Amino acid sequence: PLFLNQLQKDLEEVKELLTNATRKRVRDVLVAEKQKLELEIKNQPPPKPKDVVEEEKSSLGGYTVKINNYGWDQSDKFVKIYISLNGVQKLPAENVQVNFTERSFDLLVKNLNGKNYTMTFNNLLKPISVEGSSRKIKTDMILIMCKKKREEKWDCLTQVEKESKEKEKAAYDTADPSEGLMNILKKMYAEGDDEMKRTINKAWVESREKQYKGDIPMDI
């Protein structure tokens, strides 16, 4: 707008000079300048309405919140991620953007109650179809539909989750289960009353007897 104002003031001054100019050469120069200014003013972009300017400011301003809470489910063809966001259905559809790749997606929600929201999933467990994936806006919720490339069950969403589960399982498998049971029995014996101690002793004796009998060959 400032630049436009300057052009209009220049044009007014050229017109004023034209009314006073008497020499043809001077008048020709002023007429050419007048036409040039008029064309430049005509080509200026129209000023944006105030509410559009305010909306742009607020969509760029505010601060960005990282979404950590979500739920997920799956069918044969899709992995579905549910993200709760109050009032998201009131936003223009273009304010909810999801970018998919074969093994990731990221979500950007712009200007929801003065804040921007983002969520990124990298290293999805298995590849997805970018063309077949989409997002749906529901009441207070966004549903992200990741189209599976192969119709198979996913045990979790990301490779990181899978590795974490495998580490936990390995730690559990290497622990001696009989040692864990012994610790429980010792604790129960130490904290138990006489009846509990008698029960544990009896079970222990019977267990040892069974083991002993099992060690003796049958044909003796």
Side-chain angles (χ1 to χ4, degrees):
L2 190 63
F3 184 57
L4 187 59
N5 286 344
Q6 294 297 328
L7 288 175
Q8 284 166 340
K9 281 180 182 174
D10 288 350
L11 181 60
E12 282 166 21
E13 193 161 311
V14 167
K15 282 178 180 176
E16 200 175 313
L17 289 168
L18 260 172
T19 57
N20 297 324
T22 54
R23 305 287 299 166
K24 184 179 181 301
R25 195 169 172 183
V26 174
R27 283 185 66 81
D28 287 348
V29 170
L30 288 170
V31 166
E33 187 62 27
K34 175 175 169 279
Q35 288 170 345
K36 185 181 165 190
L37 282 166
E38 283 171 342
L39 187 65
E40 210 169 328
I41 288 167
K42 189 182 171 187
N43 290 334
Q44 284 295 305
K48 289 182 181 179
K50 192 181 174 193
D51 57 342
V52 173
V53 173
E54 289 302 316
E55 189 179 318
E56 282 185 1
K57 274 186 192 168
S58 60
S59 72
L60 297 170
Y63 57 94
T64 299
V65 180
K66 203 169 182 181
I67 302 168
N68 293 313
N69 296 329
Y70 64 91
W72 76 285
D73 190 10
Q74 62 183 312
S75 63
D76 290 341
K77 294 183 178 177
F78 288 93
V79 170
K80 307 166 194 176
I81 295 96
Y82 301 88
I83 297 148
S84 295
L85 276 177
N86 286 339
V88 71
Q89 72 278 7
K90 295 171 189 169
L91 287 178
E94 63 269 18
N95 281 32
V96 181
Q97 299 167 2
V98 184
N99 180 43
F100 295 98
T101 74
E102 194 178 65
R103 292 295 285 272
S104 76
F105 71 82
D106 58 80
L107 164 72
L108 172 62
V109 181
K110 292 198 285 187
N111 194 23
L112 177 59
N113 302 322
K115 298 173 193 169
N116 304 315
Y117 292 84
T118 64
M119 172 181 251
T120 302
F121 268 91
N122 292 318
N123 299 317
L124 289 169
L125 186 67
K126 297 174 192 290
I128 61 171
S129 160
V130 174
E131 300 79 26
S133 299
S134 61
R135 61 105 177 96
K136 292 179 182 177
I137 301 167
K138 298 178 174 289
T139 304
D140 299 334
M141 181 183 286
I142 299 167
L143 169 58
I144 295 174
M145 307 276 289
C146 296
K147 175 82 186 296
K148 294 176 178 179
K149 275 214 166 171
R150 290 174 61 191
E151 292 186 19
E152 56 188 329
K153 186 174 181 289
W154 289 25
D155 295 325
C156 47
L157 270 181
T158 63
Q159 194 65 34
V160 174
E161 281 180 67
K162 185 189 176 192
E163 286 166 10
S164 173
K165 280 185 178 179
E166 283 173 352
K167 277 181 191 168
E168 280 177 27
K169 188 174 182 295
Y172 177 77
D173 288 347
T174 53
D176 184 352
S178 63
E179 191 180 317
L181 181 60
M182 279 298 297
N183 288 338
I184 292 168
L185 285 171
K186 281 177 188 173
K187 189 170 186 294
M188 284 170 70
Y189 190 85
E191 293 173 2
D193 55 18
D194 290 344
E195 185 65 33
M196 176 66 77
K197 287 176 180 169
R198 274 197 295 274
T199 305
I200 291 172
N201 276 331
K202 188 182 174 196
W204 178 255
V205 169
E206 286 176 358
S207 165
R208 298 302 290 172
E209 281 176 356
K210 279 180 188 170
Q211 279 183 11
Y212 178 70
K213 283 176 184 170
D215 290 340
I216 301 169
M218 292 298 289
D219 57 353
I220 284 180

